[in-house]
């Protein structure tokens, strides 16, 4: 039996701890025996974190969302990042300079101005205000 001496609020106590069976301990306080039920520890449940799944692929093995870069000589004005078209600032047939803003795109809660990138004439407009676009999507085609 292990014996401990405590002083609580000015009172002296001699506590002897005897055998412990399962969760019941035989305890003696100042010579008076007690059966004390010990609190059982709950087993910790370990939950495995889910593994991130692989990006979806097509039957040919390519990524589902693939952005094709515009070629240097093409007249395509593409979305540099995914977002929502706020406004289209040109019409088919308009002549634009390289620095002209042709589309306003909201991405990551910021307005992004999309410029023509080269001088030319607007041949087609492929989006409308409110459309969601992916990175690399052709917004406007220039001649």
């Amino acid at each position: 039996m292990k014996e401990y001496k405590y002083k609580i609020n000015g009172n002296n106590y001699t506590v002897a701890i005897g055998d412990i069976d399962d969760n019941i301990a035989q305890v003696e306080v100042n010579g008076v025996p007690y059966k004390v039920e010990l609190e059982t520890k709950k087993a910790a449940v370990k939950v495995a974190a889910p593994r991130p799944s692989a990006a979806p692929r097509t039957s040919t093995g390519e990524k589902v969302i693939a952005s094709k870069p515009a070629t240097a000589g093409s007249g395509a004005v593409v979305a540099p990042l995914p977002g929502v078209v706020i406004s289209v600032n040109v019409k088919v047939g308009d002549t634009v300079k390289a620095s002209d803003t042709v589309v306003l795109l909201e991405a990551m809660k910021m307005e992004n101005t999309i410029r023509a990138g080269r001088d030319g004439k607007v041949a087609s407009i492929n989006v409308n205000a409110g459309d969601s676009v992916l990175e690399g999507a052709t917004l406007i085609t220039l001649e």
Side-chain angles (χ1 to χ4, degrees):
M1 243 189 211
K2 287 191 174 186
E3 192 171 292
Y4 302 93
K5 296 188 184 221
Y6 297 101
K7 188 171 190 173
I8 303 171
N9 293 331
N11 299 321
N12 292 321
Y13 296 94
T14 303
V15 178
I17 300 175
D19 295 331
I20 301 173
D21 294 322
D22 292 326
N23 64 335
I24 304 294
Q26 302 296 328
V27 178
E28 220 175 82
V29 180
N30 290 342
V32 180
Y34 294 96
K35 286 185 180 182
V36 177
E37 185 176 347
L38 301 173
E39 197 174 290
T40 58
K41 291 184 179 178
K42 295 183 180 181
V45 178
K46 190 172 187 178
V47 178
R51 297 184 82 197
S53 59
R57 303 220 177 240
T58 62
S59 59
T60 60
E62 294 179 28
K63 292 180 182 178
V64 171
I65 302 174
S67 60
K68 294 182 181 176
T71 57
S74 78
V77 177
V78 297
L81 64 166
V84 177
V85 176
I86 297 173
S87 67
V88 178
N89 300 342
V90 293
K91 296 181 294 232
V92 174
D94 287 356
T95 303
V96 293
K97 299 279 185 198
S99 61
D100 289 349
T101 299
V102 292
V103 175
L104 271 177
L105 182 72
E106 180 182 340
M108 297 183 287
K109 298 187 179 188
M110 293 180 60
E111 284 186 11
N112 297 279
T113 57
I114 311 301
R115 302 193 191 285
R118 69 178 187 95
D119 295 350
K121 184 177 177 183
V122 178
S124 67
I125 299 173
N126 303 323
V127 293
N128 295 309
D131 288 353
S132 292
V133 295
L134 295 175
E135 178 181 355
T138 302
L139 305 173
I140 292 175
T141 306
L142 300 176
E143 294 178 336

